[in-house]
Amino acid sequence: MEACILNRTTQERTHRRGVMLRYVGKYIGITLLALIVTVMICGAGLAAPAQAAVSYSAEEIAFIKLINEYRVSQGLNPLMVSDMISEACDRHSSDMGKYRFFSHYTVQSDWFPVNASPWDRMAKSGYDFYTNKGENIAAGQSTAKDAFNAWKASPGHNANMLNSSFKVIGIGLVVVPGSPYTYYWTTDFGGYVDRTAHSLDGDQPAAPEPSSTRYEQSDSRLAYSGTWKTVSTSYASGGSFRYINLSGGTVTVYFNGTSLAWIAKMSPVYGKARVTVDGGSPAIVDLYSPSVKWKQKVWSTGTLAAGDHVVQIEWTGAKNPAATATNIGVDAFDIVGNLTPAPVVKSAESTTRYEQTNSRLVYKGIWYTFYATGSSGGSYKRANTDGASVTVTFEGTYLAWIATKGTTLGKALLSLDGGPAVCVNLAASTTQRQQKVWTTGTLAPGTHTVKIWWDPTNLAGKYISIDAFDVIGVLK
């Protein structure tokens, strides 16, 4: 068995399920593949087709029963069957048989573009939700029991079948006489219960999806910081969108409700954003796409407890290796609930400034002190060698990094509470003192740690700087 785990015929469906599945041929075994990732699926250009009633063969129903009995025996929830996911599975199985390939990525298809991933195929069939997704494929197994036992014996496939975050499954068994393996299985998994999901017992549909309201990026209740540029175009939601590619760029969304989806442009010049919900652990969202895509659902909170919530999106300066720039953008937000005004900004007296000389700051590596008029406290520290870092531990809800920017400054890396590193670029065409180059946003009350270090990819001689920290709370 082999498993790949990442963290990702012209006959109509009724013909394949009815006539072709009656074929009984020779059993042929083959290596199985599994794939799981947490992804963002692009919705625009991949509109869901109208969902007709979907029928399932006896072997497909037998497999659903086997996997659900298995999950329940392990203390997990049974899976509902998603018709829209099953459509993607059925078409991929059909393509594998007709065009004689066996892969998670489309080689040739009657429905999907070449190299379409499982997530592309699911989105094309309408399942374009930001949630955990997985896929198992197999070929040569003529019965549900054979496919189930083979996947159960493979660690990667078994992990997909027992993933506690999955709530729905799609399945497609297609029989293609004369093809290399005759029997082709695809099962796709998802963590969001869509409108076509149902149980096999009574075929009851899932509860309808809650309706959302779209709020455009120009809404005055959105709180932007940094220099965002507005571009008017008919391709964008509401006729315009905003983007930024500078340090300090954030947008904060306050809402009362149960979910929020971020709608944005994706393109070759777009990079990665850092997103937090209610001050929790950050998620990194990659907006890169090899082609320009408009009005994409790039990230979602998922279902939250009803009440007030805050989402912050921040420019990081990081990007996919294939991207040519680091822009991030905002087109709109779809909210189940209501957008609310930003709370009154706390006054400067609400924060305490701690200078770079404070003994509770933990420096490592080689740092130099520079005295300069205009710097907070009259001086700042800077470093330009690998291994130089400063760690700030504080009890509170907010921290802002104050730094000097200029022509001799370069990139720093930063991590909040041990999360993924983000890049902060301190380069500027002129010297700029006491710049708020990065903030945590509003955090949950408690102990937090920020680590800043010199980026080894800097050009020789480029510095990073520490001038001060503004904290709502106290250093520890």
Side-chain angles (χ1 to χ4, degrees):
M1 298 297 173
E2 177 182 337
C4 173
I5 301 297
L6 308 175
N7 167 352
R8 175 145 214 77
T9 82
T10 58
Q11 292 97 336
E12 292 297 325
R13 181 184 197 93
T14 53
H15 177 73
R16 293 199 306 276
R17 292 191 180 279
V19 177
M20 298 184 67
L21 289 180
R22 286 200 288 268
Y23 174 84
V24 178
K26 181 179 178 182
Y27 175 92
I28 304 174
I30 191 170
T31 300
L32 298 95
L33 301 178
L35 187 62
I36 176 174
V37 294
T38 301
V39 296
M40 294 161 292
I41 295 298
C42 307
L46 297 172
Q51 291 291 327
V54 177
S55 62
Y56 292 87
S57 71
E59 290 300 328
E60 290 170 328
I61 293 172
F63 180 87
I64 298 300
K65 291 181 177 179
L66 284 170
I67 191 173
N68 279 341
E69 289 171 359
Y70 182 37
R71 287 174 65 88
V72 170
S73 74
Q74 302 300 309
L76 301 173
N77 61 288
L79 299 171
M80 302 186 79
V81 181
S82 166
D83 290 345
M84 61 172 59
I85 298 180
S86 291
E87 179 179 83
C89 295
D90 202 59
R91 290 177 171 181
H92 186 57
S93 292
S94 179
D95 285 336
M96 288 194 293
K98 179 179 179 180
Y99 295 110
R100 298 170 177 259
F101 69 90
F102 184 67
S103 172
H104 287 294
Y105 294 90
T106 300
V107 174
Q108 190 172 353
S109 175
D110 294 326
W111 297 281
F112 308 113
V114 173
N115 293 324
S117 69
W119 336 123
D120 295 330
R121 296 190 296 270
M122 292 166 78
K124 182 73 171 177
S125 295
Y127 196 84
D128 60 351
F129 310 102
Y130 182 89
T131 185
N132 288 341
K133 297 182 175 77
E135 178 173 274
N136 286 354
I137 60 175
Q141 289 74 19
S142 61
T143 68
K145 185 176 181 180
D146 289 338
F148 174 79
N149 287 338
W151 281 335
K152 184 177 178 181
S154 169
H157 301 84
N158 192 56
N160 272 357
M161 294 199 297
L162 295 181
N163 190 312
S164 61
S165 70
F166 292 152
K167 297 179 180 179
V168 293
I169 186 173
I171 187 166
L173 166 62
V174 174
V175 181
V176 184
S179 65
Y181 301 105
T182 305
Y183 301 91
Y184 295 85
W185 292 82
T186 301
T187 55
D188 286 339
F189 304 86
Y192 180 80
V193 179
D194 64 86
R195 69 179 184 278
T196 69
H198 57 87
S199 67
L200 289 177
D201 183 13
D203 215 30
Q204 294 299 314
E209 300 169 30
S211 59
S212 63
T213 300
R214 174 154 295 188
Y215 296 91
E216 300 298 338
Q217 46 79 28
S218 56
D219 196 292
S220 61
R221 288 167 288 187
L222 300 175
Y224 290 91
S225 66
T227 307
W228 290 76
K229 297 180 180 179
T230 300
V231 178
S232 297
T233 172
S234 61
Y235 293 106
S237 177
S240 66
F241 71 99
R242 294 186 185 187
Y243 77 95
I244 195 169
N245 61 358
L246 295 172
S247 179
T250 66
V251 58
T252 305
V253 189
Y254 298 87
F255 70 100
N256 181 276
T258 57
S259 73
L260 174 148
W262 170 21
I263 310 302
K265 174 185 177 182
M266 300 180 72
S267 102
V269 298
Y270 276 60
K272 298 180 180 181
R274 174 179 173 269
V275 186
T276 58
V277 182
D278 297 333
S281 300
I284 300 301
V285 179
D286 191 350
L287 301 178
Y288 167 77
S289 171
S291 60
V292 175
K293 297 179 179 180
W294 297 95
K295 293 185 283 191
Q296 304 296 294
K297 184 193 298 181
V298 297
W299 178 85
S300 170
T301 62
T303 302
L304 304 172
D308 291 323
H309 300 283
V310 57
V311 170
Q312 185 175 75
I313 300 168
E314 180 181 6
W315 181 86
T316 67
K319 67 181 183 70
N320 186 297
T324 57
T326 60
N327 297 340
I328 66 169
V330 173
D331 195 357
F333 295 99
D334 289 345
I335 296 175
V336 178
N338 301 297
L339 188 64
T340 58
V344 176
V345 178
K346 299 186 182 212
S347 65
E349 288 73 28
S350 298
T351 63
T352 301
R353 174 154 292 191
Y354 294 91
E355 299 297 337
Q356 41 85 21
T357 54
N358 193 288
S359 61
R360 284 168 285 186
L361 303 177
V362 180
Y363 289 92
K364 292 185 178 180
I366 301 172
W367 289 83
Y368 304 93
T369 299
F370 282 76
Y371 298 89
T373 302
S375 294
S376 181
S379 67
Y380 68 98
K381 287 184 181 289
R382 66 183 190 179
N384 67 347
T385 56
D386 197 9
S389 69
V390 60
T391 301
V392 190
T393 303
F394 67 101
E395 181 84 20
T397 59
Y398 171 88
L399 177 144
W401 169 21
I402 310 302
T404 296
K405 301 177 69 173
T407 58
T408 62
L409 280 295
K411 295 177 292 183
L413 296 175
L414 181 148
S415 175
L416 170 63
D417 292 336
V422 297
C423 180
V424 179
N425 195 345
L426 304 180
S429 58
T430 59
T431 300
Q432 301 172 20
R433 307 290 186 195
Q434 297 193 53
Q435 299 297 298
K436 185 188 295 184
V437 296
W438 181 87
T439 76
T440 60
T442 303
L443 302 174
T447 300
H448 300 281
T449 300
V450 174
K451 182 179 179 181
I452 301 167
W453 66 99
W454 187 78
D455 187 339
T457 66
N458 275 318
L459 296 175
K462 293 293 184 180
Y463 289 86
I464 63 173
S465 68
I466 305 294
D467 194 358
F469 294 99
D470 289 343
V471 177
I472 298 179
V474 295
L475 289 190
K476 297 187 70 176

Short mmCIF file of all heavy atoms in Angstrom, two decimals, residues 20 71 98 153 164 365 389 429 435 448:
data_model
loop_
_atom_site.label_atom_id
_atom_site.label_comp_id
_atom_site.label_asym_id
_atom_site.label_seq_id
_atom_site.Cartn_x
_atom_site.Cartn_y
_atom_site.Cartn_z
N MET A 20 -23.64 0.09 -16.69
CA MET A 20 -22.23 -0.30 -16.62
C MET A 20 -21.90 -1.03 -15.33
O MET A 20 -21.03 -1.88 -15.31
CB MET A 20 -21.34 0.93 -16.78
CG MET A 20 -21.52 1.62 -18.11
SD MET A 20 -20.39 2.99 -18.34
CE MET A 20 -18.83 2.14 -18.42
N ARG A 71 -16.76 3.98 11.64
CA ARG A 71 -16.58 5.23 12.37
C ARG A 71 -17.31 5.20 13.72
O ARG A 71 -16.77 5.60 14.74
CB ARG A 71 -17.08 6.42 11.52
CG ARG A 71 -16.16 6.76 10.36
CD ARG A 71 -16.77 7.83 9.47
NE ARG A 71 -16.91 9.11 10.18
CZ ARG A 71 -15.98 10.05 10.24
NH1 ARG A 71 -14.81 9.86 9.64
NH2 ARG A 71 -16.22 11.18 10.87
N LYS A 98 -12.02 5.74 -18.46
CA LYS A 98 -12.08 6.03 -19.89
C LYS A 98 -10.73 6.43 -20.45
O LYS A 98 -10.35 6.00 -21.56
CB LYS A 98 -13.10 7.14 -20.15
CG LYS A 98 -13.22 7.53 -21.62
CD LYS A 98 -14.27 8.62 -21.82
CE LYS A 98 -14.37 9.02 -23.29
NZ LYS A 98 -15.38 10.08 -23.52
N ALA A 153 -6.52 -1.09 5.66
CA ALA A 153 -5.18 -1.62 5.91
C ALA A 153 -4.08 -0.63 5.58
O ALA A 153 -2.91 -0.88 5.90
CB ALA A 153 -4.97 -2.91 5.09
N SER A 164 -11.94 12.87 12.28
CA SER A 164 -13.09 13.34 13.06
C SER A 164 -13.68 14.64 12.54
O SER A 164 -14.81 15.00 12.89
CB SER A 164 -12.67 13.52 14.53
OG SER A 164 -11.64 14.49 14.63
N GLY A 365 21.81 36.92 19.92
CA GLY A 365 22.62 37.31 18.77
C GLY A 365 23.23 38.69 18.97
O GLY A 365 23.29 39.22 20.09
N SER A 389 17.66 37.85 17.41
CA SER A 389 16.23 37.79 17.68
C SER A 389 15.91 38.52 18.97
O SER A 389 16.79 38.78 19.79
CB SER A 389 15.75 36.33 17.79
OG SER A 389 16.26 35.72 18.97
N SER A 429 12.11 54.14 1.22
CA SER A 429 12.97 55.02 0.42
C SER A 429 13.57 56.16 1.23
O SER A 429 14.56 56.77 0.83
CB SER A 429 12.18 55.58 -0.77
OG SER A 429 11.04 56.29 -0.32
N GLN A 435 7.72 53.97 13.57
CA GLN A 435 6.67 53.42 12.72
C GLN A 435 6.02 52.19 13.38
O GLN A 435 6.72 51.31 13.89
CB GLN A 435 7.24 53.01 11.36
CG GLN A 435 7.83 54.17 10.58
CD GLN A 435 6.78 55.20 10.24
OE1 GLN A 435 5.83 54.90 9.51
NE2 GLN A 435 6.95 56.40 10.75
N HIS A 448 0.93 36.12 26.19
CA HIS A 448 1.26 35.97 24.77
C HIS A 448 2.75 36.21 24.56
O HIS A 448 3.38 36.94 25.34
CB HIS A 448 0.44 36.94 23.92
CG HIS A 448 -1.03 36.73 24.05
ND1 HIS A 448 -1.70 35.72 23.40
CD2 HIS A 448 -1.97 37.40 24.78
CE1 HIS A 448 -2.98 35.78 23.71
NE2 HIS A 448 -3.18 36.79 24.54
#
